[in-house]
Amino acid sequence: MRMPRKTRLTGERMTYLTTEQVKDLATNLHEGQFREDGKPYITHPIAVAELVLKHPTAKHFSKQELIYMEQAALLHDVIEDCGVSSGFLKEAGVDPIVADLVATYLTRDKDTQAYVDYITNINRKTAILVKISDLTHNLIGAKGNRKDKYELALEILEAKIYNTFYYQ
């Protein structure tokens, strides 16, 4: 079952993948990939999606934004790790808002963009919360420079999200 939504320009009803279908798509795309601890890679995007919904700021988002963020969390690594594009995701039935969120804000070109620049340029609140959840999960078991990098990034993004909702 796909989620119906009207397009902004035409009002035409379009249908997109449900969150469960997006989870299936992410599972298929990450098939054969494993985390450093040996677990199937898909356990990471699933955990990130769960963290998004549990974050204290989640209460400030609309129901639709929460759906977008949950789906983006499930897909957040597929462009970098699976070699697919935003266009592929859209053709597969992913809502264009979700596909663009993943491609524009949750994917870094490692050849041209320094990590700190990538983190500081995430400025959409939905993307910030997904990235916070990603970093939070990545910090489990992280050590050394990787841990330091994730902690700094998390500090930057936490300040952004809390500033957005509590200090405007």
Side-chain angles (χ1 to χ4, degrees):
M1 174 179 231
R2 292 176 178 238
M3 294 182 349
R5 184 169 64 82
K6 290 184 179 182
T7 64
R8 290 188 182 121
L9 297 177
T10 66
E12 177 184 333
R13 286 185 76 74
M14 302 294 293
T15 55
Y16 303 108
L17 297 180
T18 64
T19 300
E20 195 58 38
Q21 290 170 321
V22 168
K23 181 179 174 184
D24 291 342
L25 175 63
T27 299
N28 290 334
L29 289 170
H30 285 296
E31 188 174 340
Q33 296 176 351
F34 297 90
R35 302 232 345 131
E36 289 179 9
D37 62 7
K39 291 180 183 173
Y41 193 83
I42 192 61
T43 60
H44 170 63
I46 290 170
V48 172
E50 291 170 356
L51 288 169
V52 163
L53 299 176
K54 292 177 183 176
H55 194 274
T57 61
K59 66 185 177 192
H60 297 289
F61 291 91
S62 70
K63 182 179 177 182
Q64 189 62 55
E65 287 174 317
L66 290 170
I67 292 169
Y68 292 151
M69 289 186 295
E70 185 178 13
Q71 291 185 5
L74 291 165
L75 296 168
H76 79 274
D77 281 333
V78 298
I79 292 176
E80 287 180 12
D81 296 347
C82 303
V84 301
S85 66
S86 172
F88 171 87
L89 295 175
K90 292 172 188 175
E91 287 177 22
V94 173
D95 190 310
I97 292 172
V98 174
D100 291 341
L101 182 62
V102 172
T104 305
Y105 296 99
L106 300 172
T107 303
R108 174 175 75 106
D109 183 346
K110 294 174 183 171
D111 295 330
T112 63
Q113 191 174 33
Y115 190 75
V116 71
D117 292 337
Y118 162 66
I119 292 298
T120 57
N121 286 321
I122 299 174
N123 56 15
R124 186 180 221 167
K125 65 184 181 180
T126 51
I128 292 169
L129 184 50
V130 173
K131 192 62 186 176
I132 286 170
S133 301
D134 178 32
L135 291 164
T136 300
H137 190 254
N138 281 338
L139 271 166
I140 299 170
K143 296 176 183 161
N145 289 342
R146 180 180 284 180
K147 182 178 185 231
D148 294 342
K149 176 174 95 169
Y150 291 159
E151 286 175 342
L152 176 59
L154 188 58
E155 194 173 315
I156 291 167
L157 293 175
E158 288 276 357
K160 281 186 172 191
I161 198 89
Y162 284 105
N163 188 50
T164 298
F165 291 117
Y166 300 112
Y167 303 109
Q168 290 185 353

